[in-house]
Amino acid sequence: MKMWRKFSIIIFNVGLMMLSACSDDNPENPANEIEIGEESSSDGFIYSSSAHEMFDESSSSENVFSSSIEQSISSSSVTSSSMNESSSSVWYLKETFKTWYGDNLDSVVKTGISASKDVYVKGSDWFVFGDRDIGGFSQIEFPDPAVENAPYFYYNLLHKCIGLCASYVFNQEGLKETPFVGFGFYIADKASKDSLLAADVSDWGGLCLAYNSGTDLIVGLESLNQENSVLDNLPSVRLPASVGQVVNIPWGDFSSGAVSVDDAVKNLYAVKFKFVGENGDNGSFNIQSVGAYDGNCKLSVKALDSIPKEKNKVDALNEIFKEPGIQPIAPFETWYGADSVHRVDAGFDTEYDSKGKWTFSVASWKSGVYFLNGGDDWDIEGAIDLCGGVCTVFSPRAEDGNCERYINMHFSIAGYDMTKGINGEADASSMKGVCVVYTSDVPVTLRIGQAQKVWAVRDSRLDPEIQIPAKAMAGVERIRWSEFKTPPETFPPLDGELAATRMVDFDFVVYGCGSDSYEFNIMAVGPYDGCEKYEEMK
């Protein structure tokens, strides 16, 4: 690397990306389930959530439900009268469980149990859960029209589905246990801001259920029992996959877990429905009614195929990649900064002036970007002339412990027209991969940049990527397209070889923490078999 004798410091401001985060310690939801319709930290709506359910493969085949229970109240001795008071003085009102019918367009499951002496709800809305708390990335997703009109979520969802419906995809990456997703309802509204209400529901006799499901459905009974450990098996029963079925399940059909069925129903606080499957499996479900045993549950729609589902994202992604992008007219000639060439020529002939031009973006306007160019502005071309590469200093200027700010240095493969919203999607598969010569204080994440329509289908801007190590001395890294992977929390997955057939730009992303500064220099980039000049110079 050339000695940097002088440079000017220019602070480059860009639009601030606002991020919000949901707290795991929300006092109004100690059990950490997510109520349907609650706002999320990513895109304003919950599609999948952290979980309290864990599949216990060491248990018997009958006990298929296990639970991570956070106890918030003690209610070990509740009675089944119209007005009840437990040993912890949690008062509740109990009336008849009115069977919930989805086609009534009412989201509240009216169990008849309430924690309020005044105005009471007498039931609970639905909530969703998944395996994210234990390292999984399974997703549960609701139909697009319901999501797009979140203030009227319940009405739209129930109207379209004749009940509650969703699709799910199991993702076991990073997870030792069997992946799962699920949903459920509380026995009552919340007893207070820091507790949930348990009640004696033994007089229900069991449950009735009308459902469609593409996989087996596991019904679990979660209780607030003082004797429960943090990870306890729930009393449960497994129901078969069905294209339309009404069942009456007496309490006697449930298999005991860490507590007996009798103990659970005398101290019940939630009914949970759980789906488990193998990595990559997907399916759909529809719950049309639920109530007490022999509560006259009914089916309005019998065929699973007639239930509206979210648009199939896998099919939508395959449609985009059905045809490859713009074809090259010449081989990609390795770009060497030492040659003072300011643009990367990847071999594509398009009308866009932006092709091959180096540019950058940052996550926060507070961050500082300094190009070592010997001049008095942020001229990337000047930096290339001075130090034989895109030599940069990045200062995140974040709070201590914040390592989310980044700089993304990239070049367009075939160019773009921002005024028309057109990206040149280029077929770079003939490159086989990429070679890079660089130095960096920290690891660098390489990404195969995709078009916005791909981001829209995948609900993510995290394209196929791979991380290369920090290098104090300039060195070559060669990576095949097949080594690039999308992060496991994104769906559908997109492999690097397919992404390379419609590449928009190639990205070098450097993340930084706190108030530190990081230097990096991109000295050469080319096809997988390129960068040979650097090898000869060594």
Side-chain angles (χ1 to χ4, degrees):
M1 184 187 304
K2 295 184 179 181
M3 180 69 69
W4 298 335
R5 297 186 179 277
K6 65 176 183 175
F7 58 88
S8 61
I9 298 177
I10 303 296
I11 302 175
F12 184 72
N13 294 339
V14 298
L16 175 64
M17 297 176 64
M18 300 299 294
L19 302 176
S20 61
C22 293
S23 170
D24 289 335
D25 300 321
N26 183 354
E28 296 189 3
N29 196 357
N32 241 3
E33 286 93 7
I34 307 298
E35 292 186 12
I36 296 173
E38 183 176 338
E39 289 189 355
S40 73
S41 62
S42 56
D43 55 5
F45 201 83
I46 291 292
Y47 297 93
S48 54
S49 72
S50 59
H52 273 283
E53 305 307 326
M54 182 182 296
F55 186 79
D56 186 355
E57 292 180 319
S58 64
S59 63
S60 69
S61 60
E62 291 183 342
N63 295 332
V64 292
F65 228 116
S66 62
S67 171
S68 169
I69 302 175
E70 294 183 14
Q71 299 179 67
S72 56
I73 60 174
S74 170
S75 51
S76 58
S77 58
V78 291
T79 60
S80 182
S81 60
S82 60
M83 284 189 171
N84 300 272
E85 189 166 334
S86 73
S87 59
S88 61
S89 298
V90 177
W91 180 97
Y92 65 88
L93 174 69
K94 185 173 181 183
E95 298 178 355
T96 302
F97 187 168
K98 296 180 179 179
T99 298
W100 178 82
Y101 298 105
D103 57 6
N104 285 344
L105 307 183
D106 185 352
S107 63
V108 177
V109 181
K110 295 180 178 177
T111 60
I113 300 169
S114 176
S116 173
K117 293 182 179 180
D118 301 316
V119 179
Y120 48 87
V121 178
K122 296 184 293 185
S124 161
D125 281 326
W126 296 93
F127 59 81
V128 296
F129 58 87
D131 54 27
R132 288 179 177 256
D133 267 359
I134 57 173
F137 296 98
S138 299
Q139 300 191 38
I140 184 167
E141 299 176 333
F142 297 95
D144 285 337
V147 172
E148 291 169 2
N149 300 280
Y152 306 101
F153 174 84
Y154 290 117
Y155 178 84
N156 288 318
L157 183 66
L158 299 177
H159 180 73
K160 288 191 68 65
C161 302
I162 319 299
L164 180 69
C165 73
S167 59
Y168 49 85
V169 180
F170 298 120
N171 188 339
Q172 194 168 9
E173 188 161 350
L175 181 66
K176 294 180 179 179
E177 293 79 5
T178 301
F180 62 86
V181 297
F183 65 99
F185 61 89
Y186 298 116
I187 295 305
D189 57 322
K190 296 176 178 65
S192 67
K193 287 187 176 181
D194 59 357
S195 64
L196 294 170
L197 179 65
D200 184 347
V201 298
S202 54
D203 61 325
W204 289 357
L207 296 171
C208 73
L209 184 67
Y211 71 99
N212 290 305
S213 178
T215 188
D216 285 0
L217 169 62
I218 301 167
V219 185
L221 306 175
E222 187 158 1
S223 61
L224 287 180
N225 190 306
Q226 215 167 11
E227 303 302 319
N228 284 351
S229 62
V230 175
L231 295 175
D232 264 345
N233 298 327
L234 297 184
S236 61
V237 64
R238 184 187 289 265
L239 303 177
S242 174
V243 294
Q245 183 162 312
V246 178
V247 293
N248 279 289
I249 318 164
W251 294 138
D253 283 1
F254 285 78
S255 299
S256 294
V259 298
S260 68
V261 178
D262 287 343
D263 286 344
V265 299
K266 289 179 180 179
N267 195 24
L268 194 67
Y269 98 94
V271 174
K272 297 192 172 182
F273 303 88
K274 178 179 175 181
F275 304 92
V276 298
E278 299 302 318
N279 185 47
D281 288 351
N282 62 83
S284 301
F285 69 81
N286 174 237
I287 298 297
Q288 296 187 34
S289 56
V290 63
Y293 182 83
D294 204 18
N296 195 31
C297 287
K298 66 178 183 179
L299 272 174
S300 299
V301 178
K302 293 184 178 180
L304 185 64
D305 290 342
S306 67
I307 299 170
K309 306 183 192 71
E310 185 187 23
K311 180 175 63 178
N312 189 315
K313 292 183 178 181
V314 174
D315 289 347
L317 192 65
N318 289 338
E319 182 67 23
I320 292 175
F321 287 92
K322 184 169 60 175
E323 299 292 339
I326 303 167
Q327 297 299 302
I329 63 168
F332 186 160
E333 296 291 338
T334 300
W335 173 86
Y336 296 99
D339 292 340
S340 291
V341 176
H342 298 152
R343 296 199 182 202
V344 180
D345 184 359
F348 294 90
D349 183 21
T350 66
E351 61 186 87
Y352 308 124
D353 292 336
S354 55
K355 64 181 177 181
K357 183 177 181 179
W358 286 98
T359 186
F360 73 98
S361 58
V362 293
S364 171
W365 65 269
K366 295 180 180 179
S367 299
V369 177
Y370 315 96
F371 290 108
L372 307 178
N373 53 30
D376 53 5
D377 58 18
W378 29 274
D379 177 14
I380 298 177
E381 294 181 359
I384 294 172
D385 292 338
L386 180 66
C387 55
V390 184
C391 44
T392 311
V393 177
F394 172 56
S395 297
R397 295 180 181 168
E399 303 80 9
D400 290 343
N402 180 351
C403 300
E404 296 301 315
R405 290 185 181 173
Y406 63 82
I407 178 173
N408 182 344
M409 186 67 63
H410 52 272
F411 62 89
S412 173
I413 298 293
Y416 53 83
D417 186 340
M418 293 298 293
T419 61
K420 297 180 180 179
I422 298 174
N423 289 299
E425 299 173 71
D427 183 359
S429 55
S430 61
M431 291 171 54
K432 303 182 200 175
V434 66
C435 71
V436 180
V437 179
Y438 69 104
T439 61
S440 179
D441 291 341
V442 292
V444 179
T445 298
L446 306 180
R447 286 196 186 126
I448 303 174
Q450 298 294 288
Q452 290 184 0
K453 60 187 176 184
V454 176
W455 295 347
V457 169
R458 301 186 65 247
D459 292 327
S460 174
R461 295 190 175 198
L462 297 180
D463 298 318
E465 63 181 31
I466 190 170
Q467 189 177 83
I468 55 178
K471 284 187 182 291
M473 300 294 293
V476 180
E477 290 285 337
R478 286 187 170 86
I479 308 99
R480 294 191 179 276
W481 294 139
S482 59
E483 298 179 65
F484 287 76
K485 306 292 182 184
T486 46
E489 66 268 24
T490 63
F491 181 82
L494 175 60
D495 67 75
E497 287 184 303
L498 186 60
T501 64
R502 299 192 72 88
M503 187 189 304
V504 170
D505 51 42
F506 192 74
D507 305 340
F508 299 77
V509 184
V510 172
Y511 288 90
C513 300
S515 58
D516 295 337
S517 292
Y518 307 88
E519 295 184 9
F520 66 93
N521 188 13
I522 305 165
M523 305 166 69
V525 61
Y528 180 81
D529 295 325
C531 300
E532 67 282 351
K533 184 192 297 187
Y534 177 80
E535 296 283 6
E536 295 170 358
M537 292 169 54
K538 288 199 306 179

